[in-house]
Amino acid sequence: MSDADVTHIALQTMLLAAKVSAPILLTALLVGFAISLFQAATQIQEQTLSFVPKMIAVAVALLVTGNWVLHEMVSFTHHLFELLPALLGRS
């Protein structure tokens, strides 16, 4: 296994992590931004006001994208196991 192989696998892993976490993180970001705008407009500075809607939105995002996330992770793992004999054969 060469340095290029390790770098390629690490790059694929980081891209998958970014792709899989993006829907949840973007949902939390958008809901948090909307609630911050609401708090700034109404001058309500309650700390718990942003937590509950964000938690609900993230749960909904997980329900909506959960199947896709699982499929992406399983296919990446299958791809890694398919590459394993070729990578070990080069050493």
Side-chain angles (χ1 to χ4, degrees):
M1 182 182 293
S2 69
D3 292 341
D5 293 332
V6 173
T7 305
H8 182 68
I9 291 171
L11 177 67
Q12 285 180 331
T13 304
M14 286 187 265
L15 287 175
L16 178 70
K19 189 168 61 167
V20 161
S21 65
I24 292 108
L25 292 176
L26 287 176
T27 301
L29 176 75
L30 291 175
V31 170
F33 182 71
I35 291 172
S36 294
L37 281 178
F38 174 75
Q39 284 180 330
T42 61
Q43 295 182 354
I44 298 173
Q45 296 302 320
E46 181 64 33
Q47 296 294 326
T48 59
L49 182 64
S50 65
F51 180 72
V52 174
K54 224 188 281 189
M55 187 175 65
I56 292 170
V58 167
V60 169
L62 280 171
L63 285 173
V64 170
T65 62
N67 190 27
W68 171 77
V69 167
L70 185 63
H71 179 267
E72 289 292 318
M73 292 178 74
V74 166
S75 67
F76 180 71
T77 305
H78 282 215
H79 177 69
L80 281 180
F81 278 121
E82 289 171 0
L83 280 178
L84 199 58
L87 291 174
L88 292 177
R90 292 187 206 167
S91 55

